[in-house]
């Protein structure tokens, strides 16, 4: 380093004076006070535009960008239809075989609850959290199961063997998921410890992660299971995974929101064993259990069970939740007892079940010490000392607490215990302490069942009549025969008289089956005072046999039969408040007043009168109201007062001062509002529409939740259906015995609800694209297995392309890289539903199995796909412009179909088929726009409809054994392949060598007349006229000897001699030339060889010298 | 090994009996896609089997659907209907003169929002008939309930080209409706107050003075409530008046909330025997009918209760609320049919038992019939499966 120059001083860092901060400001303030400020006041103009934009373009772009970002954040709002009690989320563990699915499931279960399950089969439900329950399900490496699970899973744990990488199953499953509404996917890398080197491990991780991201989305979470010890993953790994599961959030999926579905976790065959004993192949009745998910399911609705078929629900009952949430007390975690595990398929504990309740014994899985409190249900059961039958014997019915026993013994059977409807408003039976263990409902319903057979309608009615509500006016008001119940009734009547006004139980009138039947059965009674005042022309006619459309004016509830006398002033007054002139309730009046005021303010300016308010004006001026009614008058006066006030206000407006004050106030308010809106993102004006929509949907969601809040569960289920989150038991009948016989708990059993119309079969038109990983193109009419909606089914698909005039043109094969339309016969599924197709589910084919995917576009009963048809015929008779055509059709009937069709010759002469002629069959009479030639070929171009094969069969893999898999229809190609057959060839279709005759253009002939008229330069030049010698001439020429003159002959001879000489010399010359050429060639050749030899020698010498030089160099 | 078959027991037919509610059954069958069997149609009558109007209705259904299979047995007492998909489109049908056009319009209206192509249907026949719902009532009463369920009601229209009375008929109406994907849930709990009464007296091939007489009588009946009563005269001559002479009076009341109550009265058809009717009777009858309708109240008039309840059931899976006047027998049965076809059950509260109703009663409001019914229900999640997506 050079020493610093002595002359130049080292430059030191300057001292920087603080220009900001507490001290500086203080100093400045002080100086300001003193007036000793040194700092010049800042220039006014400097940095004036500091915070505004300088370029309009940039500003434009910035504004647009901001708007784009804002817009991107928005999702289409939807009505939140999730129930308040969420069902367990379904976590599916998916992956090819031998990736550690079962081990992971074991680990996860162990993480939540103590005590391992000996063998895991089917879904396992665990309460993991205060607000979350999880159903784990392991998915076998079977495409049927993968498809089913993709439709219901909320979260997918996709297991990947890191030492191997991704396998086809992974991509297949991801593709299936994408089509059926993407659940959340969590990739899990396993077997990382099989990769010895850490660097390689890292590389693999990175590679797989990026591949996974391209498949799912950028930044998708991947999880790594680092190690396996003792057949278990590290506790921390599993715990972390569990944490991820517990915080996972889910986006709603339209299909699942609209359809109810259940993942069955319990199964029961309830067929009468006697029947099975007689015939073990009889159809079965079964029960499936599970949590309701998605939308609400109603009783008797149509459902589809993938792998079995379409079924109608025989009955649904909601059961006690086997995995209830803990109490809503504020505690951090769950205690051991609250971490309930429920997995009937895995044989978790003995299950005791009643018709309407399940009792689970977890074999002490959760109870470690004996003094721990055990399951209430179990305890209650143990406490029961008397059997149900005994209780039934001794049961007593008390209608009210402390009342006499109404019914002492049920055995008689003639006294009805209670009616379901009677419980609508209040419970008739007091709670009995002994029955703690069982819900009261159960007990009642059982009673009902027992007594239903012996029930007598009269008795039921008698009880009815005891009811104090005014249903008794509706239901026959016949005096009840005095029973010992009468005093009870009296008491009840005293206690339960809610209001003086009568009440109508509309629900009962509309939905009560009794009423429905009664009205038919009792028509001979004089029912005029009863429910239905049916005006009958013919007394014998029941309601159902009357003419349609005349009972609009019949009102069973009101006594309008006694025609109101609308002349009567009292009668007229009963509706006086239905008019604007009548009395308003407070809210409405307030609203009206506001409107009036607004109008009053407007009044001065313009006379823009709303029709609605015309009435008032008239009232004020003309007052045509009658004075009979005081109330009406009063209200009117009130109204007038209001009007005056309004007027007064209007006058005030003229007062300028008041106006100004008002205005300033208004201004302030406005400013305030504006400011508030500025900081409230929801009040952004640009988002007004979006926010309004969102608010509207939120209101609807709130209403959906609250509308039936107060109702009893039973009624609610009737109206709403069974909500998500409820544990239900669903009964089916008519199930093939195979289902029970081949029941496999490890495969998912799903019940998917069908909406109205989806139970039918029709023609489905879809937009389809062959999957780019599938290695073949698809052929029309080949069977495909399609998964669409809940269903998996096989059908024959016809491919087509839409022309510009919306014509569906038949395609023999699906396009390679383009979308096309496909049409098939299958179950109707709503538009925009995604579907995927596979060719076979039975055997494991190499490569990617999903061959196509797309969405449903159109549903109908038939659909026209057409293909081009070209019929060729030839004329066999021509009269001017009419021609008779042969060879186009084979029969007269066929030909008759095409009468009126347009035809065309090759040369472009257009025509029409007029009539099919009887003989010879298939011939037609046609007319053309010009005369055609016999050599012309005539075309008929038309479209012919391609029939859509009506083949549809659902995949019934649940009815098959694992060994004997469902295969379905095979393609012809596959059958041929299996049988080792070659496709038969028609001789006709073989290729042959094409023999083409060389084209010879005919000489141009110009008619003589035309030629004569042509100018000379256009006339064809023929050279000297060559007149062909006539026969005679040629004959003469042939036989005429020409004798030359002696001089001529001499000249001729000379010429001949000269010609011969010239020829001779030419040949000689040629020979000499050739010899010379040959000689020259040889000379050149010799020279060349010599030269080459010399060059070679030369080169050799040079090389030799060079190498010698090199050697000498080396040796040196 | 015998191969198992997939069970399929969801397509069984729903059995019904009797000719009443035939339209409802057919219409609900078409909408729900469930096949029906209606048996015992006028079995015990002298003239058994389906009538002309019913067969016309079936043919109309066949025209606006694709793939519908209808079987009628030889006596006509049993009809099997396997519905297809609803196509809609332009259709013209001569409906005969034995039933009013409303007979055909009602099922059409219920079906109309769920077509493949927008419906535009021209019906020829009787537009107004005694004891039946008239085309005017449908236009005012029904369409004003209908438009609440859809977002854009531009295409919704019922045009009365010609008026035709019994017995000659000759009326022409054109009904057009939009196609929707799904119906909106609706909350209609406040009927509002009647703010205007309008009406139209129509005369076909008779003197317009009869109409004026009827109007005077109606105005007399409607006195004292509000003064905003305007009734016009619709005089039809020549072809526009159809083939039969007659006159009638159609009235409607509109409330501040846009609810329409309709009523109609009509002269006796020519050639029918009975006591002579003077125009004053017709006017009074119409007025009384309107007052009764107002007394019943609710957010729709009594005839369109069917429409409201059906459209509520056919909505998305959201809660709808609708206040209706006392339910008519027809509505009650339509609700039962809805339960059978669509498995929907409504919660029906008596208005008098509700808070609002109680308040009204306490305030001594005189709002006509206290037993209005508040229908609360969840839609079945019905979607237009017929619409084409391109």
């Amino acid at each position: 380093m050079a020493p610093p120059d002595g002359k130049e001083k080292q430059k030191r860092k300057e001292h920087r004076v603080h220009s900001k901060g507490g001290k500086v400001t203080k100093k400045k303030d002080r100086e300001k006070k003193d007036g000793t400020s040194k700092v010049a006041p800042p220039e006014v103009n400097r940095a004036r535009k500091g915070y505004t934009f300088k370029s309009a373009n940039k500003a434009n772009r910035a504004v647009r960008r901001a708007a784009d970002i804002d817009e991107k954040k928005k999702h289409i709002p939807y009505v939140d239809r999730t129930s308040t009690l969420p069902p367990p989320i379904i976590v599916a563990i998916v992956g090819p075989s031998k990736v550690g699915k079962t081990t992971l499931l074991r680990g996860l279960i162990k993480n939540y609850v103590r005590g391992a399950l000996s063998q895991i089969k089917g879904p396992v439900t665990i309460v993991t959290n205060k607000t979350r329950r999880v159903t784990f399900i392991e998915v076998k490496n079977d495409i049927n199961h993968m498809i089913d699970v993709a439709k219901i899973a909320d979260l997918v744990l996709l297991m990947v063997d890191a030492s191997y990488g991704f396998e086809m199953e992974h991509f297949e499953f991801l593709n299936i998921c994408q089509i059926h509404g993407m659940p959340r996917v969590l990739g899990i890398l396993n077997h990382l410890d099989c990769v010895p080197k850490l660097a390689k491990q890292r590389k693999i991780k990175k590679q797989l992660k990026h591949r996974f991201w391209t498949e799912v989305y950028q930044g998708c979470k991947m999880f790594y299971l680092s190690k396996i010890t003792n057949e278990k993953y590290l506790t921390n790994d599993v715990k972390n995974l569990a944490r991820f599961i517990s915080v996972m959030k889910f986006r709603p999926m339209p299909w699942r929101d609209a359809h109810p579905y259940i993942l069955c976790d319990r199964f029961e065959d309830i067929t009468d064993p006697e029947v099975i004993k007689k015939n073990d192949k009889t159809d079965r009745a079964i029960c499936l259990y599970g949590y309701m998910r998605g939308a609400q399911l109603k009783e008797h609705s149509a459902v589809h069970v993938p792998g079995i078929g379409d079924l109608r629900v025989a009955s649904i009952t909601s059961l006690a939740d086997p995995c209830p949430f803990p109490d809503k007390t504020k505690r951090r975690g769950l205690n051991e007892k609250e971490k309930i595990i429920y997995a009937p398929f895995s044989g978790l504990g003995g299950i005791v079940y009643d018709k309407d309740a399940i009792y689970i014994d977890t074999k002490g899985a959760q109870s470690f010490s004996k003094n721990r409190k055990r399951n209430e249900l179990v305890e209650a059961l143990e406490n029961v000392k008397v059997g149900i039958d005994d209780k039934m014997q001794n049961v007593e019915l008390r209608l009210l607490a402390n009342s006499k026993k109404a019914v002492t013994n049920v055995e008689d059977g003639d006294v009805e215990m209670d009616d379901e409807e009677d419980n609508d408003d209040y419970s008739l039976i007091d709670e009995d302490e002994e029955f703690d263990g069982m819900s009261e409902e159960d007990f009642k319903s059982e009673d009902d069942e027992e007594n239903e057979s012996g029930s007598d309608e009269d008795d039921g009615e008698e009880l009815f009549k005891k009811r104090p509500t005014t249903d008794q006016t509706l239901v026959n008001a016949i005096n009840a025969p005095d029973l010992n119940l009468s005093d009870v009734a009296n008491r009840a009547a005293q206690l339960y008289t809610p209001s003086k006004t009568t009440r109508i139980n509309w629900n009962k009138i509309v939905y009560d089956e009794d009423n429905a039947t009664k009205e038919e059965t009792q028509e001979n009674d004089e029912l005029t005072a009863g429910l239905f005042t049916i005006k009958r022309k013919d007394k014998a006619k029941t309601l159902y046999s009357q003419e349609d459309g005349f009972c609009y004016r019949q009102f069973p509830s009101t006594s309008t039969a006694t025609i109101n006398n609308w002349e009567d002033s009292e009668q007229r007054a009963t509706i006086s408040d239905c008019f604007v002139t009548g009395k308003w309730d407070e809210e409405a009046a307030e609203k009206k007043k506001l409107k009036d005021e607004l109008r009053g303010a407007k009044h001065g300016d313009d006379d823009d009168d709303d029709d609605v308010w015309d009435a008032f004006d008239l009232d004020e001026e003309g007052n045509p109201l009658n004075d009979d009614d005081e109330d009406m008058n009063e209200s009117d006066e009130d109204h007038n007062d209001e009007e005056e006030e309004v007027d007064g206000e209007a006058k005030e407006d003229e007062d300028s001062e008041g106006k100004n004050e008002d205005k300033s106030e208004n201004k302030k308010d406005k400013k305030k509002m504006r400011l508030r809106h500025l900081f409230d993102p929801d009040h952004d004006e640009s988002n007004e529409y979006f926010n309004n929509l969102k608010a509207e949907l939120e209101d609807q969601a709130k209403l959906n939740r609250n509308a039936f809040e107060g109702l009893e569960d039973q009624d609610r289920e009737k109206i709403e259906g069974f909500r998500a989150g409820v544990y239900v038991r669903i009964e089916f009948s008519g199930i093939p015995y195979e289902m029970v016989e081949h029941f496999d708990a490890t495969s998912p059993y799903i019940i998917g609800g069908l909406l109205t119309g989806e139970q039918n079969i029709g023609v489905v038109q879809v937009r389809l694209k062959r999957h780019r990983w599938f290695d073949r193109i698809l052929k029309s009419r080949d069977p495909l297995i399609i998964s669409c909606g809940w269903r998996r089914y096989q059908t024959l698909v016809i491919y087509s392309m839409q022309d510009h005039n919306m014509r569906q043109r038949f395609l023999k094969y699906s396009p390679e890289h383009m979308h096309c339309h496909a049409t098939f016969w299958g179950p109707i599924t709503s538009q925009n539903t995604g579907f995927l197709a596979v060719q076979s589910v039975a055997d494991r084919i190499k490569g990617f199995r999903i061959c196509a995917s797309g969405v449903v576009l159109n549903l109908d009963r038939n659909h026209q796909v057409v293909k081009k048809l070209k019929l060729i015929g030839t004329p066999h008779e021509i009269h001017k412009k009419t021609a008779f055509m042969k060879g186009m059709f084979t029969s007269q009937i066929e030909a008759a179909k095409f009468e009126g069709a347009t035809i065309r010759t090759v040369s472009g002469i257009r025509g029409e088929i007029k009539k099919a002629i009887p003989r010879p069959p298939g011939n037609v009479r046609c007319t053309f726009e010009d005369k055609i030639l016999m050599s012309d070929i005539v075309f008929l171009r038309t479209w012919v409809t391609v029939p859509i094969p009506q083949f549809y069969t659902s995949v019934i893999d649940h009815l098959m054994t694992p060994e004997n898999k469902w295969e379905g229809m095979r393609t012809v190609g596959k059958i041929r392949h299996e049988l080792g057959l070659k496709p038969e060839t028609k001789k006709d279709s073989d290729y042959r060598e094409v023999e083409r005759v060389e084209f010879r253009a005919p000489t141009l002939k110009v008619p003589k007349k035309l030629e004569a008229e042509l100018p000379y330069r256009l006339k064809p030049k023929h050279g000297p006229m060559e007149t062909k010698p006539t026969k005679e001439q040629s004959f003469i020429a042939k036989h005429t000897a020409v004798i030359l003159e002696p001089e001529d002959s001499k000249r001729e001879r000379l010429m001949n001699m000269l010609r011969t000489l010239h020829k001779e010399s030419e040949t000689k010359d040629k020979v000499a030339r050739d010899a010379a050429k040959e000689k020259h060639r040889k000379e050149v050749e010799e020279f060349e060889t010599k030269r080459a030899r010399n060059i070679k020698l030369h080169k050799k010498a040079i090389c030799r010298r060079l190498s010698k030089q090199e050697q000498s160099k080396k040796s040196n | 090994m015998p191969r198992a078959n997939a069970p399929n027991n969801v397509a069984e037919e729903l059995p019904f009996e009797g000719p009443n509610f035939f339209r409802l059954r057919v219409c609900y069958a078409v909408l729900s896609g469930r096949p029906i069997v209606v048996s015992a149609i006028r079995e015990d009558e002298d003239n058994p089997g389906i009538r002309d109007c019913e067969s016309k209705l079936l043919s109309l259904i066949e025209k606006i659907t694709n793939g519908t299979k209808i079987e009628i047995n030889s006596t006509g007492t049993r009809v099997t209907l396997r519905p297809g998909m609803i196509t809609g489109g332009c259709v013209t049908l001569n409906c005969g003169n034995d039933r009013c056009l409303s007979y055909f319009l009602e099922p059409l209206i219920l079906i109309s929002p769920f077509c493949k192509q927008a419906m535009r249907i021209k019906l020829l026949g009787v537009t107004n008939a005694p004891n039946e719902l008239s085309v005017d009532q449908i236009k005012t009463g029904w369409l004003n309930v209908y438009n609440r369920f859809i977002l854009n009601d531009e295409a919704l229209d019922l045009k009365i080209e010609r008026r035709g009375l019994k017995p000659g008929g000759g009326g022409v109406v054109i009904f057009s409706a939009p196609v929707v994907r799904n119906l909106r849930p609706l909350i209609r709990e406040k009927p509002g107050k009647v703010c205007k009464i309008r009406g139209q007296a129509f005369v076909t091939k008779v003197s317009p003075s009869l109409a004026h007489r009827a109007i005077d009588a109606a105005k007399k009946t409607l006195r004292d409530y509000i003064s905003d009563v305007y009734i016009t005269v619709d005089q039809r001559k020549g072809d526009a008046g159809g083939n039969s002479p007659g006159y009638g009076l159609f009235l409607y009341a509109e409330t501040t909330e846009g609810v329409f109550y309709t009523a109609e009265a009509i002269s006796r058809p020519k050639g029918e025997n009975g006591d002579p009717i003077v125009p004053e009777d017709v006017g009074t009858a119409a007025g009384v009918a309107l007052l009764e309708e107002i007394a019943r109240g609710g957010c729709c008039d009594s005839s369109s209760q069917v429409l409201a309840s059906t459209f509520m059931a056919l909505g998305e899976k959201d809660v709808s609320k609708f206040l209706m006047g006392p339910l008519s027998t027809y509505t009650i049965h339509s609700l039962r049919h809805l339960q059978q076809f669509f498995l929907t059950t409504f919660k029906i509260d008596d208005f008098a038992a509700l808070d609002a109703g109680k308040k009204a009663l306490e305030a001594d409001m005189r709002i006509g019939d206290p037993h209005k019914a508040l229908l609360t229900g969840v839609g079945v999640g019905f979607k237009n499966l017929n619409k084409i997506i391109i």
Side-chain angles (χ1 to χ4, degrees), chain A residues 298 504 510 543 547-548 552 554 558 572 574 577-578 581 583 625 700 704 760 831 858-860, chain B residues 20 33 42 66 99 106 116 193-194 221 223-225 318-319 329 336 343 350 363 366 369 387:
Chain A
K298 282 191 178 136
I504 289 182
V510 175
L543 180 68
E547 283 305 310
D548 190 6
Y552 279 122
Q554 296 169 13
T558 45
R572 289 175 72 84
T574 54
D577 289 336
C578 291
T581 46
K583 205 158 48 168
L625 286 167
Q700 184 66 49
N704 288 353
N760 287 337
Q831 300 93 332
N858 184 15
L859 306 151
D860 213 330
Chain B
N20 209 353
R42 303 193 187 89
N66 181 16
R99 290 301 297 261
E106 286 169 33
K116 206 177 275 295
K193 308 247 175 200
V194 174
T221 320
R223 70 186 185 276
D224 297 352
Y225 292 115
D318 283 324
V319 173
T329 309
R336 285 186 195 162
L343 311 169
D350 188 10
R366 291 158 303 175
D369 199 320
K387 215 178 171 202

Side-chain angles (χ1 to χ4, degrees), chain A residues 703-809:
Chain A
L703 180 72
N704 288 353
R705 279 210 194 101
N706 301 338
F708 307 109
E709 200 90 282
L711 279 182
E712 268 181 50
D713 273 354
Q714 219 172 7
D715 294 335
R716 211 172 157 178
E717 279 155 7
K718 222 185 232 167
I719 294 166
E720 242 187 329
F722 291 80
R723 278 158 299 152
V726 179
Y727 195 73
V728 291
R729 164 192 194 270
I730 300 187
E731 214 175 297
F732 295 104
S733 56
I735 304 283
Y737 79 98
E738 286 97 336
M739 191 255 160
V740 180
E741 196 125 306
H742 310 317
F743 186 81
D744 175 18
T746 54
S747 60
Y749 283 79
I750 295 164
I751 302 170
L754 300 173
L755 295 185
T756 331
E758 287 183 340
Q759 77 276 15
N760 287 337
I761 294 177
V763 170
V764 184
Q765 196 198 348
V766 295
R767 190 191 297 123
L768 171 139
K769 191 168 184 267
R770 185 190 71 98
H771 201 282
R772 63 206 166 100
W773 291 348
F774 190 70
D775 53 1
R776 272 161 295 165
I777 51 172
L778 306 167
K779 191 180 175 191
S780 269
R781 284 197 210 88
D782 262 1
L784 276 187
I785 295 162
I786 286 174
S787 157
C788 182
W790 296 123
R791 295 178 169 103
R792 284 177 278 124
Y793 50 90
Q794 193 177 39
T795 181
L796 303 181
V797 183
I798 299 272
Y799 303 104
S800 62
M801 203 58 131
Q802 194 168 45
D803 284 350
H804 289 292
N805 57 359
M806 311 299 266
R807 178 198 292 134
Q808 292 289 338
R809 189 203 284 257

Side-chain angles (χ1 to χ4, degrees), chain A residues 84 194 690 809 892 898 981 1103:
Chain A
T84 42
C194 295
F690 181 72
R809 189 203 284 257
Q892 195 189 358
F898 289 91
L981 294 175
C1103 284

Side-chain angles (χ1 to χ4, degrees), chain A residues 109-124:
Chain A
I109 291 171
K110 189 157 183 275
N111 177 53
Y112 290 119
V113 286
R114 290 198 210 172
L117 293 171
S118 55
Q119 156 204 42
I120 300 169
K121 265 186 184 175
V124 178

Side-chain angles (χ1 to χ4, degrees), chain A residues 266 350-354 356-361 375 377-378 381 437-439 442:
Chain A
R266 204 181 139 206
I351 297 165
V352 185
Y353 49 83
D354 209 345
D356 289 334
I358 308 173
Y359 308 111
I360 313 155
D361 181 10
N375 196 323
L377 291 173
V378 179
L381 265 185
M438 263 167 106
S439 70
D442 307 345

